[in-house]
Amino acid sequence: MPQQQSLFDTAPAPWEVDDAAEALIATVVIAGGPDGEFDYLAPGELVGAAKSERRLEAGRRVRVPLGRGNRSVVGYCVALETKPSGGRKLKSVASVVDRQSLLSPPMLRLARWMAEYYLCPLGQVLEAIVPAGVRHDAGSRQVVLLAAAPDAAERIAEAKLSAKQAAAMQQLLASATPLTAKQLASLAGCTLAPINELRKKGWIVTSVERQNADRLAPHAAPRQAALELNPDQVAALDTIRGALRATEHRTILVHGVTGSGKTEVYIQAIEEVVRYGRQAILLVPEISLTPQTVGRFRARFDRVAVLHSHLSDIERHEHWRRIARGDVQVVVGARSAIFAPTPHLGLIVLDEEHEATFKQETAPRYHARDVAVRRAADQNVPLVLASATPSLESWRRAKCGEFTLVEMPRRVLNLPMPVVRTIDLRNEAYARGSHGALSRPLVRAMEESLGEGGQVILLLNRRGHSTHIQCPSCGKSMQCPACNLSLTFHRHDNLAVCHYCDYQVPAPTKCPECGNPGIRFSGLGTQKLEAEVRARFPDYPCLRMDTDSMRGRGSHEEALAGFREGRHRILLGTQMIAKGLDFPNVTLVGVVNADTALHFPDFRAAERTFQLVTQVAGRTGRGPKGGRVLVQTLSPDAAAIVAAVQHDLQAFARQELPTRESMGYPPFGAMARLVTRGPEEQTSLALADELARLLRELGEPCSPPIRILGPTAAPIAKLRGDFRFHIQLFSPQGELLRNTIRRATQGLKPPDHYAWIVDIDPLDMM
Ligand code: ADP
Ligand code: ZN
């Protein structure tokens, strides 16, 4: 409800009140200010301003007086309409900030939906949708523009001007648009002196404008022709085309095994969209924004905007403006590219739709897939979700008929799927053969692959050297003082590091508790694995990829290029290497420990394990030499691992979905998570208790009742010095769940230094 009650200067006098009187009213949202929407009168001169000027319209920011002191603040005008002023005496909009609208009507609708759905203030959503570089007008500068004085054309015949001055005036009179002094000087072939003289004499009038300098370097990529599609690809493309040609919204889930040619299918779908003169948005996980992937798009489209996290504010602003002008055919980007201001959207594609990086973990805590579903439906365009391991959320919606399912069960060019075998680490026979992380069968397979000229990928999803530092004598284990979590030993810089807050201390040489010098470093990380691999295979160059070794900008691309060219024969690393890479010479993938993610206190632990193992297995067998996969595990019978070995999502879903259903977990209902945090354990808990009480009061009488778990200490009970408690809520009806939380938390203020967050459809359970 628009309101301004608290913002009256004074109560209106009775004779001023006219309930029926209509006025043109701008509704304004103030980001970072008080929550809510505020009505202001829209002055005629602002509304009627010429298009190029600072005209008042929905989607631009405005300056308005706020509160009793009429503090001047900037807010977003989210609506402009004639309506009854309801007897209120409204203040007026003071001025317009933006030279163009930042939010089209569809984007304003999307923002409103996000605010409602994610229980996030609208102002905060708007700040997430409009990039900071655009808001701050990054890269623009003031330019002084020159035009001929209004009477100049009449006076010029009799005027006594020097030849240079006359030439400059002639150019200016002939020009359809104002010019900068530099432009005019070059046209007239003179210096700035005669122009300055003309300005002094009043022949030239000036105006000041902000302009953007287009600084994006053009990309000239060698062009590639479309590939001849195989029957599976043709069928998939036909389904997407059907939706495109019917100009209707439909969500199409393309479930295609790794290397089945999904990318080629949606590239051809986007080509069709571009032929219609429309734009497409392609969302990929940040990690996939490699030159390899990007190059593939640049080779197929003339005008591609790539939005990655390394862009400067200025670059982001330039891209945004090009996109808003309709100059871009395809927007390729991570999560936030879903907010690209394409004027004629034709198609949205999400590749690797199961990836958790599509969820933002700060407010607004949106999931780009769900926002995409909403945007595509609102703008009546198809949405394509592609993955070899779709999320169970999308899988179920496809099975229920809400999404259209397209299966691509075969690899292109009749390449076989790699053969996957598990190695049971419990089995003594394997254990006896080796003392390190690599079992005997894995070592033998590596020797074979390397000996035949192939390359090897080893996955270990834990960085650092040793994940546990403990004194064997007194049992003291080294923990982060701020997070109470185990410190990881990093051998390269001889540090003990907290992986949650980056707390670092020199690695201990003796026990800090009892002084015993025999402190033990155990638990396997990528650094220790690297040492073992180098010792065992000294003749084969080995490359480690994890967030520690890939700190520098561009190091990721450089490393992958080195591997592609064969400079490294063994690539080992964290999940960073499991995604999307296509290296034909990789003949062996080893999963060093498939169990690392399996026992997390998270109902998606099995699903994550299935996805990770299936994805990394897909990195091999992409060339003529074929490929195989060895998975080391202590739980070879776990459903997630059995199904991953067979590349069988159906089998995994058959096992997993009934468990989820019996617990009311997603996708069988909506979920929300509330987390409190603050410096004192008791106060943080008291806040969580109060939240839980309010939620139960409203949620339990609902029908069906909302299931509320907690509060309990969060799995990461202490983080950066803050104690954390969480409450989990479940309901078959998402709307009911959100309403309950909205009502329960209304007006609840945490004490200073304490906070609570609401996470709708949470992925992070820690
Ligand atoms: P996915 O996205 O399913 O992993 P890609 O589209 O990346 O698969 O295709 C894998 C490889 O196969 C790529 O190198 C691609 O160029 C190639 N490819 C895709 N479709 C065809 C086709 N119809 N004929 C020949 N090669 C193809
Ligand atoms: Zn810490």
Side-chain angles (χ1 to χ4, degrees), residues 227-229 233 259-264 296 412-413 582:
L227 296 169
E228 179 105 32
L229 299 184
Q233 288 174 311
S260 56
K262 300 183 285 298
T263 311
E264 184 61 29
R296 206 162 157 188
V412 291
L413 306 173
D582 185 4

Side-chain angles (χ1 to χ4, degrees), residues 302-365:
D302 291 327
R303 286 168 282 134
V304 180
V306 179
L307 306 178
H308 54 75
S309 60
H310 293 309
L311 291 180
S312 70
D313 272 4
I314 295 177
E315 290 168 320
R316 202 171 286 277
H317 187 191
E318 301 297 346
H319 278 303
W320 190 93
R321 292 170 55 90
R322 281 177 61 216
I323 296 166
R325 280 201 302 265
D327 283 355
V328 168
Q329 296 166 325
V330 189
V331 181
V332 184
R335 188 169 64 221
S336 63
I338 191 57
F339 304 127
T342 49
H344 298 290
L345 185 61
L347 177 69
I348 306 176
V349 179
L350 246 98
D351 196 17
E352 310 288 357
E353 71 89 35
H354 63 281
E355 278 285 333
T357 56
F358 285 124
K359 170 99 165 144
Q360 173 150 304
E361 296 296 356
T362 54
R365 294 181 166 73

